[in-house]
Amino acid sequence: MHKIEIMYEKEQPTRTPPLVDQAFAQLRRDVLGGTYGAGAKLKLDELQTAYGFSSSPLREALSRLAQEGLIRADERRGFRVAAISAADLADITRMRVMLDVQALRESIAHGDDAWEAAVVGAFHRLEKVEARLGDGPVVLDEGWTDLHTAYHMALISACPSERLRTWSASLFDQAERYRRYSARFRKTSRRKSNEHRKLMDATLRRDADTASALLEEHILSTERNVLAVLDQVEHRQQTG
């Protein structure tokens, strides 16, 4: 085959994601990042203006976000960003401990060499980004969020239950919204690279008990830190 023909075969243009997927990704990013605050009404006409999508992909994207628990459908067929509360966070945390720990155990039991390599690679990428963060207070950005999510999803990716992986991913996103919210009020840096490394090491040793205990504490520590911020915000509102 001619070299030019080979070159063109290798340089096929990347397929653009469907409009629904594009709308979902942009809305999800902005809900997680706090562009739309807790309880905010998501009006279709305003979203069309903001994102440039027609009503059909936006409705589908909103429905998918509602299924993931990031937004709520109200009684009048509208959508609002899910509220933020200590009770909701406690429920998310309880379910994460139940599901994520089990998913990790099953992943350790079934993971192969390729899975181990994926875990190591995901950790390395996350660690490199965290090493570039300053020592002062930081609001963890979209890049860190994506890599943090990828690391945790890599840990459970060898779990043979697709439903378990899907539910864990959905709960992770719901918890992520709380992490991003609390980061805006944080006064100290929150690097967790050491926690992530210990979790990875126990996982790769196939020490399911230690890895499970570390993951549970990792999840619970997130809840404690977010609750501390929620208490601070509530106190400011009451006294301010």
Side-chain angles (χ1 to χ4, degrees), residues 19 23 26 44-55 57-58:
L19 291 178
Q26 292 184 38
L44 200 58
D45 56 345
E46 294 179 357
L47 295 177
Q48 286 179 272
T49 300
Y51 296 103
F53 296 110
S54 65
S55 61
L58 283 170

Side-chain angles (χ1 to χ4, degrees), residues 57-174:
L58 283 170
R59 286 184 187 278
E60 177 63 24
L62 289 167
S63 295
R64 285 170 59 178
L65 287 170
Q67 291 172 4
E68 294 196 359
L70 294 176
I71 67 175
R72 300 281 187 263
D74 66 24
E75 296 177 356
R76 291 171 291 182
R77 298 184 179 180
F79 293 91
R80 290 183 182 276
V81 177
I84 282 179
S85 70
D88 182 55
L89 176 61
D91 191 40
I92 293 169
T93 301
R94 182 173 70 91
M95 294 303 298
R96 288 192 68 205
V97 169
M98 290 174 59
L99 299 181
D100 289 17
V101 171
Q102 181 62 29
L104 179 60
R105 283 186 174 276
E106 294 190 18
S107 200
I108 289 172
H110 293 89
D112 56 13
D113 290 346
W115 166 72
E116 289 191 4
V119 171
V120 172
F123 170 77
H124 177 71
R125 288 187 290 273
L126 177 60
E127 186 181 43
K128 293 290 284 186
V129 168
E130 289 197 335
R132 292 195 290 268
L133 296 177
D135 292 329
V138 294
V139 176
L140 299 175
D141 63 14
E142 192 72 23
W144 182 90
T145 294
D146 289 344
L147 293 174
H148 183 232
T149 302
Y151 169 72
H152 279 275
M153 294 304 101
L155 288 171
I156 66 169
S157 62
C159 172
S161 171
E162 182 179 357
R163 287 185 177 87
L164 188 48
R165 296 195 310 271
T166 299
W167 291 338
S168 291
S170 177
L171 288 165
F172 190 91
D173 279 350
Q174 293 177 54

